[in-house]
Amino acid sequence: MIPLLILGLLKEKPGSYGYELLAIMNERHYKFVVNYTKGSFYYNIQQLEEKRMIQRIVEEREAESREKNKYILTDLGVEEFNRLMTKYGSKTDYINLSFYSAMLFEGAYDKEKMKELVLVQIKQTEKKIALLEDTLKNRADLMKNFRRMLENSLSHHKVNVDWFHGILKEIDTEITENGLSH
């Protein structure tokens, strides 16, 4: 997914510096859609360059001894952008939370420890909800479709919080009724 972001941004803003692309991704809150780090971003820039999908344009600055690298799409990069748009645009993925894997074995795990895990999920999800709500409220410049994606994500997180509270209630009932901890 990171290559699609980089190629798409270079299609929008040819001749951008790497740090400019990363700044745009951060400003637009792409982290809500794609998991990336600064390191993974620059790794993907390097890979795209090695595969000749983007071309580096070295710009020497007289006042600075460092070179600045701008990037542009190559014809191969445009083809890859189109391929990735088709690939990801026609895919319907399940929502994967790592927590789902842990839930498969909830019955075999210590109830008090499971309760702690659910509380962590609630706290983390409520934090995501607050970030999404803040972004939606305070960022009038969001692209229409990205705003819709964030609203959809917000709805999913709210449903998950309700689900987590239901799990907590069930665990509490089991502990109370059975005097269980495992």
Side-chain angles (χ1 to χ4, degrees), residues 79-129:
E79 287 177 28
E80 181 67 359
F81 170 78
N82 291 330
R83 187 187 75 74
L84 292 174
M85 284 295 290
T86 300
K87 175 183 176 182
Y88 293 124
S90 59
K91 208 177 209 185
T92 304
D93 290 334
Y94 289 102
I95 298 171
N96 286 327
L97 291 175
S98 301
F99 183 69
Y100 288 0
S101 298
M103 280 300 295
L104 294 172
F105 305 102
E106 181 262 338
Y109 195 60
D110 180 273
K111 296 299 176 200
E112 290 294 337
K113 288 181 181 178
M114 191 66 202
K115 186 175 174 176
E116 289 173 23
L117 294 177
V118 175
L119 289 169
V120 165
Q121 290 297 320
I122 290 171
K123 184 177 180 180
Q124 290 176 355
T125 306
E126 286 176 341
K127 188 176 180 181
K128 289 176 187 175
I129 288 169

Side-chain angles (χ1 to χ4, degrees), residues 12 49 72 86 112 141 146 167:
E12 285 180 8
E49 186 179 7
I72 58 171
T86 300
E112 290 294 337
D141 62 333
F146 189 56
I167 294 169

Side-chain angles (χ1 to χ4, degrees), residues 17-89:
Y17 297 106
Y19 67 85
E20 281 182 297
L21 299 174
L22 187 58
I24 291 169
M25 288 168 58
N26 290 333
E27 287 168 13
R28 292 183 181 177
H29 300 285
Y30 284 180
K31 64 184 173 232
F32 292 128
V33 180
V34 177
N35 187 18
Y36 66 88
T37 63
K38 185 178 178 181
S40 64
F41 169 80
Y42 282 106
Y43 172 79
N44 278 276
I45 286 266
Q46 179 186 351
Q47 293 297 303
L48 288 169
E49 186 179 7
E50 286 177 11
K51 293 175 182 174
R52 298 193 163 133
M53 293 180 191
I54 62 174
Q55 180 182 345
R56 180 187 338 178
I57 301 169
V58 178
E59 182 181 278
E60 287 194 41
R61 298 209 171 169
E62 294 173 25
E64 302 174 26
S65 59
R66 284 184 7 167
E67 294 179 340
K68 298 282 184 172
N69 299 318
K70 290 183 169 187
Y71 296 93
I72 58 171
L73 283 176
T74 62
D75 289 342
L76 205 55
V78 172
E79 287 177 28
E80 181 67 359
F81 170 78
N82 291 330
R83 187 187 75 74
L84 292 174
M85 284 295 290
T86 300
K87 175 183 176 182
Y88 293 124

Side-chain angles (χ1 to χ4, degrees), residues 108-172:
Y109 195 60
D110 180 273
K111 296 299 176 200
E112 290 294 337
K113 288 181 181 178
M114 191 66 202
K115 186 175 174 176
E116 289 173 23
L117 294 177
V118 175
L119 289 169
V120 165
Q121 290 297 320
I122 290 171
K123 184 177 180 180
Q124 290 176 355
T125 306
E126 286 176 341
K127 188 176 180 181
K128 289 176 187 175
I129 288 169
L131 284 170
L132 285 164
E133 287 176 337
D134 182 64
T135 299
L136 288 165
K137 180 182 174 189
N138 296 312
R139 292 293 307 267
D141 62 333
L142 293 174
M143 294 178 295
K144 183 172 74 172
N145 286 335
F146 189 56
R147 177 171 291 282
R148 288 179 181 157
M149 289 166 42
L150 294 182
E151 290 167 345
N152 186 45
S153 181
L154 178 62
S155 297
H156 284 281
H157 287 308
K158 286 181 176 181
V159 166
N160 279 342
V161 167
D162 290 344
W163 179 55
F164 297 144
H165 281 290
I167 294 169
L168 261 186
K169 192 174 180 179
E170 289 172 11
I171 292 171
D172 282 338

